[in-house]
Amino acid sequence: MNDNGFNLLDEPWIMVLTPSGDEKQASILDVFEMAPELVTVGGEVPTQGFAITRMLLAFLHRAVDGPASKDDWTELWQADTLPLDRIHEYADRYRNRFDLFDPEQPFFQVSDLRTAKGEVSGLEKIVADVPNGAPYFTTRSAASLDRIEAAEAARWLVHAHAFDASGIKSGAVGDRNVKGGKGYPIGTGWSGQIGGVLPEGRNLRETLLLNLIGRDAETYLRIGGTADVPPWERKSDSAAWDDNRPPRGAIDMYTWQTRRVRLAGGRAGVTGVVLANGDKILPQNRHIYDPHSVWRYSEPQTKKYGHTVNMPRMHNPTRAVWRGLAAMLPSVYGRRSSGTEPQAFLAPGVMQWISSLVVNDHLPEDYVVRTRAIGAEYGAQSATFTEMIDESLTMAVALVSEQSVALGNTAKGAVDDAKKAASAVWKFAENVARAGGAEPKSGAGDRTEEALYAALEEPYRRWLAGLTSRTDTGAAREVWQKVVRDRCWPVVREVIEAAGPAAWRGREVNKRLVNVSVAEAWLRAALRQALPRAFPDRRATPETSPGATQTPREETT
């Protein structure tokens, strides 16, 4: 027995959220046992919870040796708890591999990892809310990094493999790629290369099971093959790493060892880290291995490699997740069979799995799933963190089902409605600005467009949550277009009220007079065209229009 040990199976270290909103720490086995009474896995940053959830999924897949099929999955789903007997039996089999400070096989680490000079770096190398001393996401003081508890070190250890920023790492003895004592950049941790999509259920048990994809998903995902095992089932890593190791399946991806790490310290506290490069992985066409990302067709990559290439679609922190919802839906962008033309997007494999559960009546259509978009944005050369993304959308799984094409296209069409309206108000604001003497693309349009998107965010989420298998899609679309129409006017009114006398008088632009009234008339015409269901009677004048009275005509500037 290791007196300095800290076994992650038994020691509390995972941050979990209870229904009352309290955070507490739990061991791996505690998490599985309490899963029906927990909400989700949390952490110091959202990406930490994502990385640990994927580690738990790898554990659960191996513990249940499957599920092999949807029928096996249904047995798990219908039980009140997770299969604790099988979980404990599996834990006992690999117990020694979960000790954070085991002298020979420490969890997710290399026991003899060292540099030629025996250097140990500060904890800011792995603590992502204070990357290299720049406190982007926390009020944590530098002094608090002198020593952290073993539990917190374990959380950042899992996070480092998944999301560590790129950049120069320690040159480990035994790493043949080290030059001049340095490990040169190989890219970020694997989860940092994708735009994480994590469907959540009513509690953590349901979340884990929704993401526990069966082996019969083989037409679109490789998972659970004989070699698809986590690190604790393999021979311990050394400082050497492979720059071309092929992934074996989703379990391998969930626990990909992008770094080689050794924590300095023990259960009384961790004071430093040796952080070196690990197994390099590139993102091209990994959609058949990683189910937690949208994938996009890349024409440049396809030309480069001479065959169809799909790349992970990263989250854009400046763009709300609902604006890219369609790409997450198999009902819109399903995993079609080979031989067809490349499609713009591939929905995440996990959403395809949920779709298959609905189609085969293993999950009711009115079941509500909360889909989280989690990811990191990196700075120059991906060497620093600049943003952490954590957004969610709530929807009935009927919307996800590949058979619900009309429902999926209704959700997509509603986003298109917002986009067209946003384009119209952008042009309106730019026309008003130009009427007042501004140069083209003054920025007024960008500000107005973003104001409209912000005004539509909460209504869209609420409208989306109301879509079910029984929804009249035409009526729902009409309701939405009227919402968009009505949300436009306050935004437009602000532009009009801010317009100066020069803008009201106007000036000639492209040989036509442009002033506030003309710009508004063009806007009204554009909105009628963009939102036809909101203006069913073309003779009617919107009562809530901000005030122009000129006859609508085509906008030409």
Side-chain angles (χ1 to χ4, degrees):
M1 181 176 175
N2 177 18
D3 293 336
N4 190 41
F6 189 89
N7 197 296
L8 303 181
L9 293 172
D10 309 312
E11 304 274 2
W13 66 282
I14 299 174
M15 300 291 289
V16 291
L17 186 67
T18 69
S20 61
D22 296 330
E23 268 194 346
K24 63 180 182 180
Q25 297 186 44
S27 69
I28 290 175
L29 293 178
D30 285 344
V31 169
F32 286 130
E33 289 176 4
M34 299 188 301
E37 289 82 44
L38 299 175
V39 175
T40 190
V41 175
E44 277 79 4
V45 290
T47 46
Q48 198 181 79
F50 181 72
I52 292 173
T53 299
R54 280 162 59 98
M55 187 276 292
L56 291 172
L57 284 170
F59 188 106
L60 192 55
H61 271 294
R62 296 300 294 166
V64 303
D65 189 23
S69 66
K70 296 179 186 65
D71 289 338
D72 288 349
W73 182 89
T74 300
E75 287 187 22
L76 296 170
W77 183 256
Q78 292 177 341
D80 294 330
T81 65
L82 294 172
L84 298 177
D85 289 347
R86 282 184 278 176
I87 287 171
H88 280 277
E89 189 277 330
Y90 180 75
D92 289 343
R93 204 183 320 160
Y94 296 101
R95 175 168 293 280
N96 66 309
R97 299 298 300 273
F98 284 87
D99 189 338
L100 197 60
F101 304 114
D102 186 274
E104 296 180 356
Q105 296 178 313
F107 178 81
F108 268 32
Q109 300 167 75
V110 176
S111 62
D112 59 352
L113 192 72
R114 63 181 178 86
T115 68
K117 296 181 179 179
E119 301 144 314
V120 175
S121 300
L123 291 169
E124 69 275 5
K125 293 291 184 183
I126 60 170
V127 176
D129 55 356
V130 194
N132 291 324
Y136 295 127
F137 312 117
T138 185
T139 57
R140 181 199 299 265
S141 68
S144 66
L145 285 177
D146 291 343
R147 176 185 293 270
I148 61 176
E149 293 182 348
E152 183 180 356
R155 294 195 292 273
W156 288 122
L157 172 64
V158 176
H159 186 266
H161 282 289
F163 284 101
D164 187 41
S166 190
I168 293 177
K169 306 298 174 187
S170 296
V173 174
D175 176 0
R176 66 181 185 278
N177 298 294
V178 168
K179 296 177 181 177
K182 298 178 180 177
Y184 284 87
I186 64 166
T188 71
W190 168 244
S191 293
Q193 299 185 44
I194 66 174
V197 175
L198 186 72
E200 293 186 331
R202 291 168 292 193
N203 55 53
L204 183 56
R205 185 190 77 88
E206 292 189 357
T207 296
L208 292 171
L209 291 178
L210 287 173
N211 289 276
L212 202 72
I213 302 174
R215 290 200 289 262
D216 57 355
E218 59 186 9
T219 56
Y220 55 88
L221 184 72
R222 303 286 183 270
I223 187 166
T226 53
D228 185 21
V229 297
W232 55 81
E233 288 194 42
R234 301 195 299 260
K235 180 182 175 183
S236 296
D237 289 322
S238 67
W241 51 274
D242 197 334
D243 60 0
N244 195 31
R245 183 171 86 78
R248 307 298 186 188
I251 296 171
D252 195 14
M253 302 299 273
Y254 291 165
T255 53
W256 191 265
Q257 302 288 283
T258 321
R259 299 288 180 257
R260 296 291 186 261
V261 189
R262 179 171 63 82
L263 298 175
R267 67 171 297 118
V270 173
T271 56
V273 62
V274 179
L275 181 66
N277 286 324
D279 294 334
K280 182 178 179 180
I281 185 168
L282 297 175
Q284 287 82 2
N285 282 344
R286 303 302 190 194
H287 57 282
I288 61 172
Y289 298 107
D290 200 307
H292 285 144
S293 181
V294 170
W295 298 80
R296 61 177 175 82
Y297 170 70
S298 172
E299 186 171 349
Q301 291 283 320
T302 296
K303 288 180 178 177
K304 177 180 178 181
Y305 288 95
H307 56 79
T308 300
V309 173
N310 291 291
M311 299 287 285
R313 187 190 193 202
M314 307 293 285
H315 300 307
N316 181 348
T318 66
R319 185 177 178 181
V321 65
W322 65 271
R323 292 167 61 183
L325 168 68
M328 296 185 190
L329 302 177
S331 52
V332 181
Y333 291 110
R335 300 289 187 101
R336 296 170 186 162
S337 60
S338 60
T340 61
E341 288 295 319
Q343 56 186 42
F345 300 105
L346 296 174
V350 68
M351 302 303 274
Q352 190 74 41
W353 166 249
I354 291 174
S355 167
S356 71
L357 294 174
V358 177
V359 170
N360 291 281
D361 296 326
H362 295 275
L363 199 63
E365 290 183 320
D366 58 355
Y367 180 83
V368 174
V369 66
R370 176 174 177 258
T371 301
R372 289 178 67 187
I374 305 171
E377 185 188 58
Y378 299 90
Q381 286 81 50
S382 298
T384 58
F385 292 98
T386 56
E387 293 280 353
M388 296 286 186
I389 299 102
D390 184 11
E391 283 195 68
S392 64
L393 285 172
T394 299
M395 68 188 95
V397 291
L399 199 67
V400 177
S401 168
E402 199 166 17
Q403 292 184 342
S404 301
V405 175
L407 204 58
N409 283 332
T410 298
K412 178 181 181 295
V415 175
D416 293 340
D417 294 337
K419 184 177 180 181
K420 290 175 183 175
S423 177
V425 299
W426 185 92
K427 291 176 181 176
F428 165 73
E430 284 292 324
N431 282 335
V432 171
R434 293 201 70 185
E439 295 297 317
K441 297 184 179 178
S442 64
D446 295 341
R447 293 189 292 273
T448 307
E449 183 181 69
E450 286 308 312
L452 178 60
Y453 275 127
L456 290 174
E457 181 161 344
E458 189 278 333
Y460 184 85
R461 292 174 184 276
R462 187 157 26 91
W463 174 84
L464 183 75
L467 296 181
T468 71
S469 60
R470 299 175 296 281
T471 294
D472 180 332
T473 55
R477 187 77 175 274
E478 180 177 331
V479 167
W480 171 249
Q481 290 198 357
K482 289 178 177 176
V483 169
V484 176
R485 177 199 64 191
D486 293 345
R487 295 282 171 157
C488 282
W489 300 132
V491 174
V492 170
R493 190 175 296 116
E494 284 193 15
V495 175
I496 291 175
E497 291 175 355
W504 283 98
R505 286 193 301 273
R507 65 173 179 145
E508 192 171 277
V509 177
N510 295 335
K511 299 181 180 179
R512 300 189 68 175
L513 175 66
V514 179
N515 59 30
V516 175
S517 298
V518 169
E520 188 196 344
W522 288 341
L523 168 69
R524 292 171 60 209
L527 289 178
R528 282 184 179 279
Q529 188 172 22
L531 309 169
R533 295 173 188 267
F535 300 101
D537 183 355
R538 292 189 60 82
R539 295 169 300 178
T541 299
E543 296 179 356
T544 50
S545 173
T549 57
Q550 293 193 17
T551 302
R553 59 182 177 178
E554 288 297 321
E555 179 269 329
T556 57
T557 63

